[in-house]
Amino acid sequence: MNANNERYVVGVDFGTLSGRAVVVRVADGAEAGSAVHEYAHRVIEDRLPGTGARLGADWALQSPQDWREVLRNAVPQALAVSGVSASQVIGIGTDFTACTVLPATARGLPLCELPELRDRPHAWPKLWKHHSAQPYADRINALAERRGESWLPRYGGRISSEWEFAKGLQVLEEDPEVYGRAERWIEAADWIVWELTGVESRNVCTAGYKGIHQDGAYPGDDFLAELNPAFAGFAGKLGRELSPLGGLAGRLTARAAGWTGLPEGLAVAVGNVDAHVTAAAADAVRPGQMVAIMGTSTCHVMPSDRLAEVPGMCGVVRDGIVPGLWGYEAGQSGVGDIFAWFVETSVPASYSREAGSRGITVHEYLTELAAAQRVGAHGLVALDWHNGNRSVLVDHDLSGMVVGQTLATRPEDTYRALIEATAFGARVIVEAFEAAGVPVEEFVVAGGLLRNRFLIQVYADVLRRPLSVIGSGQGPALGSAIHAAVAAGAYQDVTAAAAAMGKRTEAAYVPDAGRADAYDRLYAEYRDLHDHFADGALLHRLRAIRNEGTA
């Protein structure tokens, strides 16, 4: 292992608003340097860049050029900061948000980069939180249930509007020309690897969780034709051969070497998803270790040695997190996004001035005020559905609410209620897994929200269990670096690499019995509210009225 003291790998994490690169020592996962590059176009939600073409409600797109700029900027900057010579780097791995998917030519050129298609919204990559495909997901679910499709229970009984098939059907029916021009329908996780290697590959993770690939096959052409006859050949755009996680996707091309400052011919790992790759970074790759990656949204991933049908799960995929185990995924569509929305839209200027005078953020100020309260003192309970519900209801047309407000309600009361709502949503997910016979042995927290210690303590109290925390602030990038070490041959498999390079602190947060008891009472009210509005009838009508008013 001594040779690994002088060898390094690079992990690149493509997030919602930025991409980050980290340079990691192969021997022990020590992080030598990192850099972040903000996307110039961020999330495209209102108008297309350049042409100004209008987008509809619940659209969320991105620009492939922003992703290339991460390779051109963040990777060489991280290398420079680290002081590591490029000749010491033996591999690079990447991860992406998912399902972030784009139409491309057979050579991998994004259709939005064709001059004649730049003003066509459906030619652009659809970000994970593009939710306007919900009606198409509804049709897919209804038909799959009626036909008794064997793959449907593997996704908790419903597939999401965020995934490949719903978004693909939307493109077909709303812009058939773009659909016809799309020779490839490819996850950004695989597209960026194509950019690095010049070789098209498809990873087992996104294919399984986002592409309905189960037991060696995609949904059959007869099923797809029943949705729309022109949809029958859709699986042909997805690629048939799947590559294992930690596998070698190819070698760095001269062009990509020029972008990154890394040696041509470097090992490039098979693509992966930001959440799933984080399990390796936390050394949480054994059965029953649930990792919650908490940021703008939260994704819950967990390896297991048993197969079960968990209502509302996002999916269970063989080899989907670690080769040799079943990988489960669940999630919450809005967490950090909800807190940001509240601060940006509902906090008086006086709070901002007070926070500024003390040199802290508004989030930190509200957290201080909220943390000073006793559990339940605000008299509120909220539903964390502001960005829809991913698990366990799988309905992105749901919306959030806060119940119990009076003229005495203060911003810190609502802020705390929103934090608690996201913790209650996490408890719903954990209880669903355990009720289905898939035990959660350890709950590990990762992601940017770890910075808020009060929030994580609320989760420990609500979940009534100790919480472990990842030992790195660069979880996805570190996880990608770990996979790069495997692809480069430094470790036999992901489990061995995670043991050497991953890190976490066990039981870093312990529940307080008194607060946990108080939260049980609030959670019961949350469940009543959750179950009452779960059918979505009222919330769907309100969304329809809103959409009509903004059309």
Side-chain angles (χ1 to χ4, degrees):
M1 191 64 69
N2 290 338
N4 284 338
N5 287 326
E6 301 302 324
R7 298 200 291 179
Y8 291 81
V9 283
V10 173
V12 188
D13 168 41
F14 292 86
T16 299
L17 300 174
S18 64
R20 66 182 61 241
V22 61
V23 180
V24 178
R25 189 163 59 200
V26 172
D28 56 6
E31 297 164 26
S34 65
V36 177
H37 181 76
E38 302 287 336
Y39 300 151
H41 299 94
R42 298 174 66 81
V43 179
I44 302 167
E45 297 177 289
D46 300 314
R47 294 179 180 271
L48 291 183
T51 69
R54 289 289 300 270
L55 304 178
D58 299 317
W59 275 64
L61 308 177
Q62 287 198 313
S63 167
Q65 188 58 28
D66 287 344
W67 306 335
R68 293 191 190 98
E69 291 302 316
V70 173
L71 300 176
R72 290 191 176 106
N73 291 276
V75 175
Q77 288 171 18
L79 199 62
V81 168
S82 72
V84 171
S85 168
S87 63
Q88 294 174 268
V89 179
I90 63 171
I92 183 171
T94 58
D95 67 82
F96 236 101
T97 59
C99 170
T100 296
V101 66
L102 64 150
T105 69
R107 293 186 176 183
L109 180 67
L111 293 192
C112 64
E113 296 183 349
L114 296 174
E116 67 272 24
L117 296 180
R118 288 187 61 216
D119 64 345
R120 307 281 278 273
H122 282 299
W124 289 73
K126 289 178 168 56
L127 183 61
W128 65 269
K129 64 177 182 176
H130 174 93
H131 289 153
S132 68
Q134 185 65 51
Y136 303 96
D138 293 340
R139 283 171 50 194
I140 293 170
N141 289 324
L143 179 61
E145 185 174 5
R146 179 170 63 80
R147 287 171 51 111
E149 293 289 327
S150 61
W151 47 263
L152 190 62
R154 298 277 180 94
Y155 300 97
R158 303 180 75 182
I159 71 140
S160 170
S161 66
E162 297 179 359
W163 298 354
E164 293 178 12
F165 278 72
K167 289 174 174 174
L169 184 58
Q170 181 186 26
V171 175
L172 169 63
E173 299 198 351
E174 295 182 9
D175 195 335
E177 182 186 352
V178 167
Y179 180 86
R181 295 284 296 275
E183 296 168 294
R184 298 290 187 272
W185 186 243
I186 186 167
E187 289 276 352
D190 293 321
W191 179 84
I192 202 68
V193 172
W194 199 348
E195 287 288 282
L196 289 169
T197 64
V199 178
E200 181 181 4
S201 61
R202 304 290 179 131
N203 73 83
V204 67
C205 182
T206 52
Y209 292 104
K210 314 303 178 183
I212 321 181
H213 190 277
Q214 292 285 348
D215 300 324
Y218 292 105
D221 284 350
D222 58 332
F223 171 80
L224 301 177
E226 198 166 339
L227 291 165
N228 184 315
F231 203 45
F234 179 68
K237 301 177 186 286
L238 304 181
R240 295 288 181 177
E241 298 297 324
L242 303 184
S243 300
L245 302 182
L248 178 66
R251 300 283 177 177
L252 200 67
T253 64
R255 181 182 71 154
W259 292 345
T260 60
L262 296 173
E264 182 181 353
L266 193 74
V268 180
V270 169
N272 210 327
V273 179
D274 51 2
H276 303 70
V277 79
T278 302
D283 187 25
V285 292
R286 288 164 291 279
Q289 293 181 298
M290 177 175 281
V291 181
I293 301 89
M294 297 173 58
T296 54
S297 64
T298 293
C299 187
H300 305 78
V301 297
M302 185 175 73
S304 179
D305 54 6
R306 64 193 71 181
L307 174 63
E309 296 174 5
V310 182
M313 67 180 173
C314 297
V316 54
V317 176
R318 183 71 177 178
D319 306 322
I321 300 172
V322 186
L325 293 173
W326 292 98
Y328 288 85
E329 178 189 345
Q332 294 169 267
S333 294
V335 180
D337 266 355
I338 296 175
F339 312 145
W341 157 79
F342 180 73
V343 166
E344 291 168 4
T345 64
S346 306
V347 177
S350 59
Y351 280 64
S352 298
R353 288 195 298 271
E354 175 63 21
S357 69
R358 296 178 52 200
I360 61 175
T361 67
V362 178
H363 285 282
E364 290 168 333
Y365 181 53
L366 287 171
T367 296
E368 283 184 4
L369 297 176
Q373 299 179 357
R374 292 173 61 88
V375 177
H378 49 44
L380 305 174
V381 64
L383 284 180
D384 53 321
W385 299 349
H386 297 69
N387 205 21
N389 181 283
R390 186 180 298 161
S391 297
V392 295
L393 300 176
V394 199
D395 185 347
H396 295 291
D397 279 345
L398 295 174
S399 48
M401 64 180 69
V402 181
V403 176
Q405 292 178 317
T406 72
L407 294 179
T409 300
R410 307 289 295 168
E412 58 266 30
D413 300 336
T414 305
Y415 191 75
R416 177 168 181 146
L418 293 172
I419 287 175
E420 292 166 346
T422 67
F424 294 148
R427 180 165 166 176
V428 170
I429 290 169
V430 171
E431 289 181 352
F433 272 85
E434 299 203 317
V438 185
V440 178
E441 305 288 354
E442 182 182 7
F443 196 96
V444 186
V445 181
L449 292 183
L450 267 175
R451 292 188 294 269
N452 190 325
R453 295 182 58 85
F454 167 69
L455 180 149
I456 306 303
Q457 185 61 54
V458 168
Y459 273 64
D461 294 337
V462 167
L463 292 171
R464 301 194 72 107
R465 64 174 68 214
L467 302 187
S468 302
V469 300
I470 193 172
S472 170
Q474 314 272 11
L478 173 58
S480 289
I482 290 171
H483 282 71
V486 178
Y491 292 97
Q492 181 179 356
D493 54 34
V494 173
T495 300
M501 300 174 67
K503 56 198 82 168
R504 77 181 186 287
T505 302
E506 297 183 20
Y509 290 81
V510 178
D512 175 87
R515 291 195 299 266
D517 288 344
Y519 274 129
D520 279 348
R521 294 179 61 195
L522 272 179
Y523 178 65
E525 303 301 334
Y526 173 90
R527 282 308 303 250
D528 282 348
L529 200 64
H530 176 286
D531 296 346
H532 181 77
F533 287 99
D535 67 357
L538 170 62
L539 302 180
H540 290 170
R541 291 196 298 271
L542 290 175
R543 182 173 290 262
I545 292 170
R546 183 206 69 173
N547 290 347
E548 291 169 9
T550 57

